[in-house]
Amino acid sequence: MPGVSPDAVPADRIHALDHLRALAMLAGVLFHAALAYSPLLAPVWPPADRQTWWGVDALIWLPHLVRMPLFFLIAGYFTASLLERRGMGGLARQRARRILLPFLVAWPLVDGSLALATEWAASAVTQSSPMLRLIRDWLALPDPPGLPPRTGHLWFLYYLLLFGVVLWAVRALGWGGGLARLMARGPQAVAGLLPLVLWPGFMATGSPHPAPESLLPEAWALAVFGPFYALGLGLHGRLDWLTPLRPWLKPAAALCLGLYAVLLDHWTTDATVARTAWATALLEALIAAWGTLLALALGLRWLARPSPLLRYLSASAYWTYLVHLPLLFALQYPMMDLGWPWPLKFATAVSATTALCLLSYELLVRRTPLQRFVG
Amino acid sequence: MNLNRPVIRLLILKDWQLFEKQLAAYVLAGLGALTLLGLARPWAFYLGSLALIVVVVAAACFAISNSLLVERKEQTLAFVMSLPVSPLDFTISKLLGNLLTFGVPFCVLLLGTLVVILSTPLPDGLVILATLLFGHILLAYSVSLAVAMQVESEGWNTFAMIGSMVLVNPFLMALGQIESIQGPIRQDAIAWSLPAALILGAQLLVSVVVLVHTAWWHGRKAAFY
């Protein structure tokens, strides 16, 4: 994932954040691959398989509620690092090179390849998902209406750009002191306040929250991911700020699991289209806030030692992020008609996608000029 | 034509730094307006559209007022005259500085408006109306900028700014009377009719001519006064 780049990391590299990023990216590949077997997403996910298992939903949504906030938090942290070393002009140039340009180049390629694979699947796959059937009917129309442009899974880059603009505006207006004052209240106060800040954002969207793929800024996404980006900015240079939370790690983990059990109970298969009830939104806000802080604290504690493997995965994370979904769809569509048990399909899709991502990173990015942009 | 590029760059940078705070507020307001539009509710759409127009008009007026009229009042020119710059250098820096400080929010909001139209159920034909509307604001801005650079009277400058911007209303009404423009904007395809293309072309051409003429007129001057 972007937001962290080799040139964004200071000499005294914080391995834990690199490693967290690598694991969060791997969790992303697992998440997207598992959606094909999720009963909750079966009506709307194009490569949804005919075999589903409730346990998939139980396993994937908790990490997902934590994964994206964690990415934004890490991105905010390294943005602050870049800002300190290069100033706003240098940060803007770096963001243009590492986020805007890759976004503009990758967007049509990723969108086109996903559309191509889905159109092929709509006509070729016999064991279609409900969404593929819908697409097939839509394609069969004599003059199918065009779909509005959307960012797809590259929405993360789009929001990083938006948050970059907001950061510049907030600094220009001299409002940066608010974050420092908030951080000065200590981690317990921030941990207590964070869910309340996130709550309205989760209430304003469906549950589980969709990807904010619209080209218009989506208020709920700004409200949910913005605070984590800001927290990352505030944490820069003082990760020990989290130390007072250590005694709370075990109770927080237990609480998150308990809250997640209640959240799973709240969800029904048609919940994705309904407005979130306040209680469900509160559960999501609590899990996202405390789960992310917990993941960060655990990462800083257990992932601080250098690891060549995780370092490599971290370096390839941005490229993996860009290409994994088209590869995954291209692999999962043909598998929909196979009679294999779903765990085998899942394992094949994950291992093949990861292998292809890493192979293409090795061949196309690692030792080429692309390294400066997406390495 | 020998231009003192480093000083021009510094003068533009000075205008940018002086205007950065307001520009940041306009960009934030513009993002807020676009977020309102993204809510996809009728009230949010009307509020967001109105906010977008207010922001872009305010940005246009503020850029001119801040960098030319206020500076004139505060007699900044006397200081600039002490620098190694010619009247042409100063004119170019003012023109480019203004185009930059106005151009950033203008482009962001134009792009945002087009995204709104293309990514919502609104008919795509509205792209034509929106482009002509932004074309009018660009023209009004160029005329106001030219007047501000050539005329010292605060009254005339205020009249030029407010008058040209307020003309957006009769301009929209006039567009509503042209069937070849009014018809396509209700359709889901972007079909530029000849009158629409001619109006847009005229807006862009007049904007450029006005700005080039202003630069040329000032460039001929041997002294600041």
Side-chain angles (χ1 to χ4, degrees), chain A residues 262-281:
Chain A
V262 181
L263 181 64
L264 283 175
D265 189 48
H266 276 229
W267 281 339
T268 55
T269 45
D270 61 348
T272 48
V273 291
R275 284 280 158 197
T276 310
W278 67 267
T280 313

Side-chain angles (χ1 to χ4, degrees), chain A residues 88 148-149 162 165-166 168-170 172-175 214-219 222 275, chain B residues 16 20-21 23-25 27-28 31 34-35 37-39 41 112 115-116 118-120:
Chain A
M88 189 47 85
L162 281 178
V165 172
V166 173
W168 160 73
V170 166
L173 289 165
W175 293 349
S214 166
L215 279 176
L216 288 173
E218 294 189 35
L222 295 174
R275 284 280 158 197
Chain B
W16 171 266
E20 191 178 11
K21 208 169 185 173
L23 189 66
V27 169
L28 268 191
L31 279 179
L34 291 173
T35 307
L37 293 168
L39 289 176
R41 310 252 174 96
V115 165
V116 168
L118 295 174
S119 65
T120 61

Side-chain angles (χ1 to χ4, degrees), chain A residues 234-250:
Chain A
L235 275 174
H236 173 61
R238 48 173 174 179
L239 285 171
D240 56 348
W241 180 86
L242 293 163
T243 309
L245 290 181
R246 275 192 186 161
W248 296 89
L249 293 185
K250 281 181 185 169

Side-chain angles (χ1 to χ4, degrees), chain B residues 116-175:
Chain B
V116 168
I117 296 167
L118 295 174
S119 65
T120 61
L122 289 169
D124 288 356
L126 272 176
V127 162
I128 298 165
L129 187 68
T131 312
L132 292 176
L133 176 69
F134 274 82
H136 175 85
I137 292 173
L138 178 67
L139 175 59
Y141 170 78
S142 303
V143 169
S144 303
L145 180 59
V147 171
M149 291 187 74
Q150 303 216 27
V151 180
E152 296 206 2
S153 157
E154 198 176 337
W156 277 112
N157 275 302
T158 308
F159 176 76
M161 273 194 286
I162 295 179
S164 59
M165 294 296 173
V166 167
L167 277 176
V168 73
N169 217 16
F171 173 68
L172 286 176
M173 285 176 67
L175 290 182

